[in-house]
Amino acid sequence: KQKFSGHGGVGIMKIRFAFTGHQHYGNDNDAKWNCFAIAEIPVGSTAGKHKHENTDEIFYILEGKATIIIDSKKSKIRKGDIILTKIGSTHDIVGVKKKLKFIVIEIFRK
């Protein structure tokens, strides 16, 4: 696992990438994706407000409770939720009430 302060967020996030270098690209006939990982944000930490210029980002929440902010709109998230952040949207994860564990997938659009 790698530990880092995600995108300038508060505290430490943990992330485990599925592939060395955390990047994999399909061939020209496949959808292209940039990241497939499992991340954890402990209580008191945040992801850090940021924007993806080239990828859509999908989260599947495995456990925990928090708030996600997408383009200034706040939504509560919990186990079983699937969240899509489209290219160009600004987003952050804050208000972690119970350690958040989730799958992260970033996909380049054709």
Side-chain angles (χ1 to χ4, degrees):
K1 286 184 183 179
Q2 296 180 8
K3 294 183 180 182
F4 67 100
S5 175
H7 306 289
V10 174
I12 298 294
M13 272 180 71
K14 296 178 185 177
I15 192 160
R16 186 175 62 221
F17 296 105
F19 298 93
T20 303
H22 82 271
Q23 293 186 343
H24 173 82
Y25 304 94
N27 64 38
D28 288 338
N29 297 320
D30 294 336
K32 298 177 190 244
W33 53 278
N34 181 54
C35 172
F36 185 88
I38 294 179
E40 294 179 11
I41 303 177
V43 174
S45 293
T46 68
K49 184 177 176 181
H50 64 286
K51 181 191 295 189
H52 292 267
E53 298 289 347
N54 300 308
T55 59
D56 288 327
E57 188 168 42
I58 301 164
F59 300 139
Y60 176 70
I61 309 303
L62 299 170
E63 61 184 62
K65 293 181 181 179
T67 299
I68 190 162
I69 305 169
I70 301 175
D71 295 329
S72 301
K73 182 183 176 192
K74 294 181 180 183
S75 300
K76 300 290 183 190
I77 56 176
R78 61 188 164 111
K79 181 180 179 176
D81 287 345
I82 299 171
I83 297 100
L84 169 63
T85 303
K86 294 183 179 182
I87 287 175
S89 291
T90 301
H91 57 286
D92 195 356
I93 296 174
V94 300
V96 179
K97 302 288 183 202
K98 182 179 175 189
K99 179 181 79 174
L100 196 67
K101 185 174 183 178
F102 55 102
I103 295 172
V104 180
I105 302 169
E106 288 182 44
I107 302 170
F108 287 104
R109 282 202 242 160
K110 289 186 176 185

